[in-house]
Amino acid sequence: MKPIGRFAPSPSGRMHTGNVFSALLAYLSIRSRGGTLLLRIEDLDPDRCRTEYADAVKRDLDWLGLHWDREQALQSTRTEAYAACFEDLRERGLVYPCYCSRASLHAASAPHASDGRIVYPGTCRSLQEAPAGAKKPAQRLIVPDREISLSDGLQGEYTENLARDCGDFIIRRADGVYAYQLAATCDDAAGGVTEVTRGRDILPSTPGQIYLQELFSWGRPHYNHVPLLIDESGRRLSKRDGDLDLGALRERFTAPELLGRLAWAAGILPAYTPATAEELTSVFDWSKVRRKDIVIRPFFV
Ligand code: GLU
């Protein structure tokens, strides 16, 4: 069966090199096996996402030659589908309201997972009623106390016990917005996605997504969590590194010059040479791709 993959950018700013790097690998993995590629604009967060950024993401992907076959519905238009999943979980008694603020969780010095996330201690799980004067609650999913493992294409075996390493996680925010975990899992299933290629920073969210897939009897995609692009001090590149966002890079490079550098950084090309997305497809193989995070600036001088 031909694979179905996706790009799932959040339109909260111009894409930066790290986003392009993940998109390139998602593209090459699918195209090299004749599969189908979906584009999903993850515009869940109304405070951070803007239509003009979504348009810029599409124009940039087009300019790069990273073409997709089909666009999935905007997440901002999928509330009913997420609500249906949410109600199903609530009817099964797997959801409860949580009145804790981020500040109170920090103050209570809840245990932290190895990646710095707060492990939710279950404070509100057995509340019988809302505390007096409480604001609107977030909604959390009760997670099981057992190990969930995946065999990641790049990062190898990865195991988490959600109860120990994550705690009950939010599936609907206090402002009513469905959480990324629920929305992305629901959309991957709706699109029949069989392969997810994305940044290594999202690996710790994956066991939660797998748990949701299990609850709904959805298939589990194959995962490839790709290395992060970092600076010399080991810090992950972000939107702050404006010189490496696509606005700045498009002024310095043509699309083949930019893709050639990223493919060289990834290990797909042994040395720098300009290359189109199509040309890279014919030489792509996951076995060439680096596993460790990549200090990116040297590839751009
Ligand atoms: N929207 C996320 C991002 O832009 C990606 C989520 C995913 O690929 O599951 O970082």
Side-chain angles (χ1 to χ4, degrees):
M1 221 177 61
K2 301 276 188 202
I4 302 178
R6 77 332 184 250
F7 307 133
S10 301
S12 57
R14 194 83 186 250
M15 280 207 292
H16 64 85
T17 351
N19 305 124
V20 178
F21 186 77
S22 300
L24 174 64
L25 290 170
Y27 173 97
L28 294 175
S29 179
I30 293 296
R31 289 285 178 249
S32 61
R33 285 171 297 143
T36 302
L37 200 55
L38 310 181
L39 171 67
R40 177 167 81 236
I41 300 289
E42 299 209 319
D43 62 343
L44 272 178
D45 188 338
D47 303 331
R48 294 175 56 232
C49 297
R50 296 212 209 126
T51 314
E52 58 266 34
Y53 291 144
D55 293 342
V57 165
K58 288 193 218 173
R59 280 199 303 273
D60 286 337
L61 289 171
D62 247 337
W63 177 82
L64 287 159
L66 300 179
H67 303 300
W68 58 95
D69 300 298
R70 201 152 37 83
E71 184 173 350
Q72 287 192 279
L74 293 175
Q75 288 192 324
S76 57
T77 65
R78 294 263 297 149
T79 308
E80 274 180 31
Y82 308 146
C85 293
F86 174 81
E87 288 308 332
D88 183 340
L89 296 172
R90 183 146 68 181
E91 277 164 23
R92 288 195 249 167
L94 290 171
V95 178
Y96 63 88
C98 170
Y99 299 88
C100 299
S101 65
R102 204 181 281 252
S104 70
L105 288 174
H106 276 284
S109 65
H112 285 58
S114 53
D115 65 348
R117 284 181 301 173
I118 289 185
V119 178
Y120 183 66
T123 319
C124 293
R125 192 185 305 150
S126 48
L127 277 185
Q128 296 302 318
E129 55 188 46
K135 298 212 180 79
K136 277 199 156 200
Q139 301 287 336
R140 289 187 185 267
L141 177 70
I142 296 176
V143 298
D145 182 10
R146 66 174 157 86
E147 307 218 305
I148 293 184
S149 299
L150 68 137
S151 187
D152 188 81
L154 282 183
Q155 308 299 327
E157 289 300 310
Y158 183 80
T159 300
E160 256 188 32
N161 175 320
L162 287 172
R164 188 190 62 216
D165 302 324
C166 165
D168 300 337
F169 61 84
I170 292 179
I171 54 173
R172 196 174 81 191
R173 301 187 336 193
D175 62 4
V177 173
Y178 289 97
Y180 156 73
Q181 286 291 66
L182 182 67
T185 311
C186 189
D187 287 346
D188 282 339
V193 167
T194 61
E195 179 178 289
V196 170
T197 298
R198 60 188 176 191
R200 186 184 63 73
D201 53 320
I202 307 181
L203 183 55
S205 297
T206 306
Q209 298 181 10
I210 290 174
Y211 177 51
L212 283 165
Q213 288 154 8
E214 289 176 6
L215 287 173
F216 290 111
S217 304
W218 291 332
R220 185 196 293 198
H222 175 70
Y223 291 96
N224 302 305
H225 286 92
V226 306
L228 301 180
L229 304 187
I230 55 176
D231 67 14
E232 285 73 6
S233 63
R235 197 175 52 93
R236 186 183 162 208
L237 292 184
S238 72
K239 298 200 161 114
R240 282 186 308 252
D241 299 282
D243 60 321
L244 290 175
D245 80 21
L246 263 197
L249 291 171
R250 281 181 64 162
E251 282 175 19
R252 285 177 64 197
F253 303 113
T254 63
E257 285 169 352
L258 181 50
L259 293 182
R261 283 168 203 279
L262 289 177
W264 174 36
I268 300 163
L269 293 178
Y272 169 63
T273 173
T276 63
E278 233 179 306
E279 287 162 350
L280 291 172
T281 302
S282 56
V283 297
F284 178 77
D285 193 316
W286 276 114
S287 67
K288 297 180 185 168
V289 177
R290 286 186 227 283
R291 268 65 178 151
K292 297 242 167 72
D293 291 351
I294 298 163
V295 178
I296 194 64
R297 278 181 212 276
F299 295 95
F300 278 94
V301 289

